[in-house]
Amino acid sequence: MLSDPSRGVNAAQQPYDLLIVGGGINGVGIARDAAGRGASVLLVEQHDLASHTSSASTKLIHGGLRYLEYYEFRLVREALIERERLLAIAPHIIWPLSFVLPHSRLVRPAWMLRMGLFLYDHLGGRMTLPRSRGVRLDRDPVGTPLRPEYRRAFIYSDGRVLDSRLVVLNAMDARAKGADIRTRTRLVAARRVDGVWEATIEDASGQQVVRARGLVNAAGPWVERILRDTLAIGTSKQVRLVKGSHIVVPRCFEGEQAYIFQNPDRRIVFAIPYERDFTLIGTTDIPWAADPGEVRIADDEVRYLCESVNRYFRKAVTPEDVVWTYAGVRPLYDDAAQNASAVTRDYVLDVDAPPGEGVLLSIFGGKITTYRRLAEHALEKLAPSLPVLGGAGWTASRPLPGGDLGPGGFESAVARLRAHAPFLSADDAWRLVRNYGTLAWEIVGTARNRADLGEDFGGGLTAREVDYLVAQEWAVTAEDILWRRSRQGLHIDGAGQARLERYLDARREAVRDSRPAMAG
């Protein structure tokens, strides 16, 4: 869905209420909430939705157990409350996960872990997930993959998330409520003129000037660059860029539990079941000073992650086992902590609102779990300048697109989809509901057999699904589809990916040929 500068509000006549820069989780979360309150919203993202930090997470919705060690009680409480809300409004892409925390005498004493888990169980108030408990690893199946020197462990609950899909679903709901979402569109310049922001934006078709009463700088790792270079506005607040890298290896253990391992450097590393056949291992915390768009995992990070899990797993993981890696830059609020792991994961909202001028809000920090609450706080900050945003919050209980799974929840929805389309395999039906929830019915449509879904690129990805992603979810490239929408990149071989590229090229060519010729 390429942007069309003719769409949306007439820039010369009527300003938008909000121009949002950044299509990560914070930007789309604010767009959804603001549009739902009746505001006119334009969001621009220089690349694809979730193409940077928001797709490079550890794929968790969690309170942040380790943040208790840094006395981040307010953040943990907010995150635990949000965890419950997100599990309820997006049960197709967010679901519970048990974590096994082996006790290592070399790191933290058992009493400290018990105390931390007690706080974790109770800080957020009434929770639906099981509370923590202790286990003997020689008596419980979760101990099978672990080395025999680990005798005790604690099990607690959090959630896992399809992070890039969370971003897309928020953008879809924002669009459904009237927001104009433009990907592959960058902010070139902006200045205050006659009480509003006058901004130049640019996409493949050229430049356009738009006006907005308020501007939200949700550019993540680029937040300071937008302030300094694009807006020429100073601030005392700074962002601290920290690289987090992950590796994916063939499945290391049986079961759907995850493991959280303590390292001698007091950092923690997760080992999480991933995409049915794999294990996701991460993350690192490395200061980053280069271009946020060029972040890559380093060889020493791969070795560090392998060594971290090898302290605990019986079967060693080696760099040669790695089938995929990814890395992202976390734009953390700089609280002057010396250790990158100790830098706060809380967020800071900086408002610049000169009397009679367009208001500016810049976002420093944040984490994916608290994005919805961050959006509410952002609108509270903007409301004095933009009264249209002063309505009651509404996003805490409204399902995201596809999240209205109905009676019986996820498993019942899978069974209903298989009854609707019996030609789907159990794995394919499960994947479609896990990705799209009730929107899976839109993909299957009136198909009566597998052939009706069109070309199969492998891993269950069909032309019908690709067409849906291009038409409804702003997907343009094979990378968009394989790694941020369907997440089938690990399941489709090189030949399948090449066929997908050819299919997308032919589709674009057909669209170009169908456009009317310009008058000479």
Side-chain angles (χ1 to χ4, degrees), residues 88 91-92 399 402-414 416 433 437-438 441:
H92 48 327
D404 50 342
L405 295 179
F410 179 82
E411 296 300 335
S412 178
V414 173
R416 292 197 306 274
V433 177
T438 55
W441 274 259

Side-chain angles (χ1 to χ4, degrees), residues 199-221:
T200 302
I201 59 176
E202 182 178 54
D203 67 3
S205 62
Q207 293 189 351
Q208 178 189 1
V209 175
V210 298
R211 299 164 72 228
R213 297 180 180 90
L215 194 155
V216 174
N217 178 6

Side-chain angles (χ1 to χ4, degrees), residues 189-199 211-215 227 230-234 350-362 385:
R191 61 191 182 115
R192 290 178 167 117
V193 177
D194 297 330
V196 299
W197 285 98
E198 188 173 275
R211 299 164 72 228
R213 297 180 180 90
L215 194 155
L227 281 170
T230 308
L231 306 180
I233 291 177
D350 187 36
V351 177
D352 181 67
E357 299 290 345
V359 62
L360 167 68
L361 182 139
S362 297
S385 300

